[in-house]
Amino acid sequence: MSETSSTGSADTARKDITVVHLMRHGEVHNPEGVLYGRRPGYHLSELGRQMADRVAEHLEKRDITHVVASPLERAQETATPIAKSHGVDLATDERLIEAANVFEGKTFGVGDGALRKPDNWKHLTNPFRPSWGEPYIEQVVRMMGALDAARDAARGHEAVCVSHQLPIWIVRSFVERRRLWHDPRKRQCTLASLTSFTYQGDKIVSVGYTEPARDLVPAHLLAGAKPVKGKSKAFGA
């Protein structure tokens, strides 16, 4: 094989690699401590904006050509500084939205909140589906669709998709061939984290995970943190 042919093949291989970063939004202003889910009107806190800026700085030198977010305010606000720093328009994809949940608008802490009320127990009958919200397999289908669309929009480059904790963890679990039902306390998907999918052509060949704003995340919201009464991890979705 000639040197020219070898170089051409290497260039083609590089162009065939696309990275899609699936980012969880930053901290939300939520003084009532409710599980806000898909409810409108929940914006980033000042700390959350710092997280978004930190990740934008972290990604500043990456080859990002496409930025897209869930339609919810917290995701849009997280994605904005990233899109701005790369000079691209911010797109919206409904498929990146938070998972539906019957407990939206209610508190969901340890030793308090909605789980203390017997009327809510009927929603907890099947953790494998789950019975309290959008089925896991439906989250996989829509999130894979959003990931593939971002891959196509950024072929040979990188894309950022800002979404929410549960859908991110579910699609990662699917790609890594883990069961979809799980202990929420063990999700590796901290606020403002990046779960990065590397594609070769149309196939995902690796998954990476980083936390550029870890030092800004409150201790009780880190993966594996012990529950604290009155400080639910559930509403930081």
Side-chain angles (χ1 to χ4, degrees), residues 23-30 33-39 42-44 70 72-75 78 96-101 103-104 108 139 162-169 184 187 189-193 221 232-237:
M23 180 182 177
R24 186 181 172 195
H25 61 79
E27 186 192 59
V28 175
H29 179 64
N30 181 22
V34 302
L35 193 151
Y36 33 75
R38 294 181 174 181
R39 291 190 164 207
Y42 285 90
H43 299 266
L44 292 182
S70 153
L72 296 173
E73 294 98 331
R74 57 192 185 271
T78 299
L96 294 170
I97 200 168
E98 175 63 288
N101 193 306
F103 295 110
E104 285 180 14
F108 207 81
Q139 294 179 53
V162 181
S163 187
H164 308 268
Q165 186 189 58
L166 179 55
I168 294 172
W169 181 248
R187 295 174 190 158
C189 190
T190 296
L191 289 166
S193 61
L221 294 179
S232 169
K233 293 184 69 171
F235 59 76

